[in-house]
Amino acid sequence: MVSAGFVAVGLPTPMLFGGLVGALIYALARPSAPLRLPGSWFQAGQAVVGVVVGSAIEWETLAGLGARWLIVLGISCFALVVSVLIGSLLTRRGASPATAAFSSVAGGAIGLTAMADDLGADSRVIAVLQYLRLLVVLLTLPVVVTVVFGADGVGDGLAAGGGDWRVDLPFVAIALIGGVLVGRLVRLPSPALLGPLLVAAPLTLVPYFSGAGVPVLVAGLGYLAIGLQVGLKFTVESLRSIGRMMPIAMLTIVVTLLGCAGLGWILTLTTDATPLDAYLATTPGGIYAVMGTAAWLGADVTFVAAAQILRMLIVLALAPFLAAYFRRRASG
């Protein structure tokens, strides 16, 4: 019911956060009768998210960066460092270093929420603060492009393509089964998510699967499983703890937005990107809304999409190593 309401008002990833809010309400209303989902459900949700992320990678788009890829790579890594450093302020309100870092990392919100428990972080805090940052990005995006850049819609927006279930279902099945096996064999951190991602991404290079994606129903069920698992962990005390973080969390979000805008300015100095393209390429999250805005404004969608996808991949690739660093530091 909550997810349906989120769909109606157009909130991002409504199934994940609708499931989270619904499960949170249940957990607070019946603390004496806690409910826990089977671990296999959550792992299935992680696997679906991995396939979603892997299928979203467009190799031709990444190649479209051309000679600019090294500069964009450097700026993406610097954005990650800046957001982690700013997020460390959350440790003053009781968050662990891993939770503080992954709550403030710009990009990969869904993947980080799904991986949080595997990384030794608090998925409840990460889900709430990542979603808060995403909402701030979505609310400020139209204001900035209109007021600051004076942009006006001249494009046609992104075309909505219809999926072919004869292609999508085999793609999802191969990526899920093969990904889980790869994740376990290679002993990846968060194997249920990273394994399917690593299989799905190159699988899109196969001509038959070039336009494959995850059916809406399958993706929705995967998001819902993650949202329910996270939401059922909430308690009154955990909400109070998150509430105490909110002032600093809002500060970190504002500083991250300004920091990423500054990186966009550097991008205009080091590449041929326009100020608008550079700003859209460096916004801290909201990749699909940003791509849609770029298309509507007639901006360089290829450049914007490539920069956003590259940063998301860097975040998900480095998250396990960052978590390992925090664990080593905590152990002395």
Side-chain angles (χ1 to χ4, degrees), residues 6 25 32 48 61 89 91-92 103 113 134 157 179 193 213 237 252 256 260 266 277 287 289 315-316 326:
F6 282 10
I25 293 172
S32 59
V48 169
T61 298
L89 294 173
T91 58
R92 299 184 180 184
S103 295
T113 301
L134 180 58
L193 185 143
E237 183 54 38
T252 63
T256 300
C260 288
I266 294 175
D277 289 343
I287 180 172
V315 167
L316 295 181
F326 287 131

Side-chain angles (χ1 to χ4, degrees), residues 146-170:
T146 303
V147 176
V148 177
F149 297 104
D152 191 15
V154 295
D156 298 324
L158 293 176
D164 185 344
W165 64 268
R166 293 169 298 182
V167 175
D168 292 345
L169 290 183

Side-chain angles (χ1 to χ4, degrees), residues 12-13 76 79-80 83 103-110 112 129-142 253 256-258 260-261 278-294 304-305 307-309 311-312 315:
T13 53
S76 297
L80 175 60
S83 58
S103 295
S104 56
V105 165
I110 296 175
L112 289 174
L129 298 189
Q130 282 281 357
Y131 192 50
L132 178 62
R133 177 180 50 78
L134 180 58
L135 287 178
V136 172
V137 169
L138 296 180
L139 290 174
T140 57
L141 181 62
I253 290 171
T256 300
L257 286 171
L258 294 176
C260 288
Y279 170 74
L280 292 174
T282 55
T283 57
I287 180 172
Y288 296 114
V290 169
M291 289 166 58
T293 301
V304 171
Q308 289 279 352
I309 291 173
R311 189 182 66 226
M312 177 184 66
V315 167

Side-chain angles (χ1 to χ4, degrees), residues 2 11 17 54 75 88 95 104 127 129 148 153 169 192 204 211 214 223 228 252 276 297 299 301:
V2 178
L11 290 180
F17 291 101
I75 287 180
S88 65
S104 56
L129 298 189
V148 177
L169 290 183
T204 59
V214 180
Y223 290 156
L228 290 174
T252 63
L276 177 60
L297 296 175
V301 179

Side-chain angles (χ1 to χ4, degrees), residues 80-135:
L80 175 60
V81 172
V82 168
S83 58
V84 169
L85 291 177
I86 295 171
S88 65
L89 294 173
L90 292 171
T91 58
R92 299 184 180 184
R93 288 294 182 268
S96 69
T99 300
F102 299 135
S103 295
S104 56
V105 165
I110 296 175
L112 289 174
T113 301
M115 295 168 65
D117 291 338
D118 296 334
L119 299 176
D122 190 333
S123 57
R124 299 167 298 187
V125 178
I126 291 175
V128 171
L129 298 189
Q130 282 281 357
Y131 192 50
L132 178 62
R133 177 180 50 78
L134 180 58
L135 287 178

Side-chain angles (χ1 to χ4, degrees), residues 143-217:
V143 176
V144 172
V145 298
T146 303
V147 176
V148 177
F149 297 104
D152 191 15
V154 295
D156 298 324
L158 293 176
D164 185 344
W165 64 268
R166 293 169 298 182
V167 175
D168 292 345
L169 290 183
F171 170 80
V172 171
I174 294 172
L176 286 177
I177 298 172
V180 170
L181 292 176
V182 168
R184 291 176 179 175
L185 288 174
V186 183
R187 296 185 179 180
L188 293 169
S190 191
L193 185 143
L194 294 180
L197 190 159
L198 292 177
V199 172
L203 195 60
T204 59
L205 296 174
V206 177
Y208 183 75
F209 295 123
S210 60
V214 180
V216 174
L217 178 60

